[in-house]
Structures are given as structure tokens and as C-alpha cells.
Amino acid sequence: MERLPGGCRRLAVQLRLAMDPQWLWAVLTDYDSLSGFIPNLECSRLLWRRGNVVGLEQEGAQVFMGLRFKARVHLELTEHLEERRLSFTMVKGDFRRFEGAWQIGGDGTVTTLLYELTVQGCVGMPIGLIEQRLRDDLASNLRAVQQEAQRRCALPA
């Protein structure tokens, strides 16, 4: 986690997997199904598609310090198929800044999955209090994508 000016935080987490990258791409681009396996993501809905650019609405919720918090974002996401990269930026939502990318890489023997996020909370949101929660959520999101890709890969054709 990197602390940036103005209450922004940049987080990055990476997994190394023994898996064909196509399975990860298939999971990450199954936008309407993401809330079925990513923790704390209550809704994920594809709004529109224009070539390799999509509009996505997502809503997350979690309990923090005994209170239930919800956040909604409308994202514009660009699919860079050749680079196996999904970059996103918030168009509208409950944060001042919410942008990042999913990157699938590898060297032929191991596949990597990298998730980067730069986030700036809304006015009055104490980013310092939620840093650990953000860090934990990123790691659990990556594990959830990994588990879903492994599940799909194991299904009979």
C-alpha cells in the first residue's frame, strides 16, 4: 500500500498461479457474474458495450466497526485483450477517485494475476481507518477470482 497526497491510497496485490491465463480472463470479463463469487460485491451489472470498452455498475457492502457501509460505482472499463489487461476508472460513484487495472501475465510456466487500485474516499471518509480493510479486500478478491477460475477450469467441457 502506498500513501498518496490528499487521502489517496494505491494498493497492489499479485498472485502466482499454475493456470492457463484464458480462464482468468474469462472470469474477469464475466461482468454480470462477479458478485456471485467476489466477497462484499453485492451487484455487478454490465450497462453497455462499445467495442472493447464497457460500462459497468457495481455496488459493494460490508460491515466495518459494527456499521454497514455501501458504496456504488459506475466504471468505464477497457479490455486490452492482447496485453490481457483490464483498466478501469470511475465515471460516477461514492468515491472521489477509484481507478485501477487487472493484469494477467506470465512466462509460460507460471501465470500472474495483478490487481492495482488507486482510491480516494468521499469527503468525511477516514481513509486511515479503512486501510487494512482495503488491503484485506484486495487479497480476498484475487483469491476469489482464482478459485472461480479453478472451478470453471475443472468443469467438464
Side-chain angles (χ1 to χ4, degrees), residues 62-123:
Q62 60 183 250
V63 176
F64 180 68
M65 295 177 64
L67 300 171
R68 183 172 166 82
F69 289 93
K70 281 188 156 195
R72 182 179 302 218
V73 292
H74 285 207
L75 302 174
E76 186 172 287
L77 188 142
T78 304
E79 300 172 342
H80 308 275
L81 182 58
E82 294 300 313
E83 299 95 44
R84 290 185 286 200
R85 180 178 173 82
L86 297 170
S87 57
F88 59 88
T89 187
M90 184 183 72
V91 176
K92 182 171 88 172
D94 294 333
F95 298 92
R96 284 182 281 178
R97 184 175 176 190
F98 190 90
E99 61 192 32
W102 291 90
Q103 177 73 53
I104 302 168
D107 59 11
T109 58
V110 71
T111 298
T112 57
L113 177 60
L114 172 68
Y115 181 51
E116 301 172 279
L117 175 66
T118 301
V119 62
Q120 183 180 24
C122 59
V123 176

Side-chain angles (χ1 to χ4, degrees), residues 22 52 78:
Q22 74 173 355
N52 68 326
T78 304

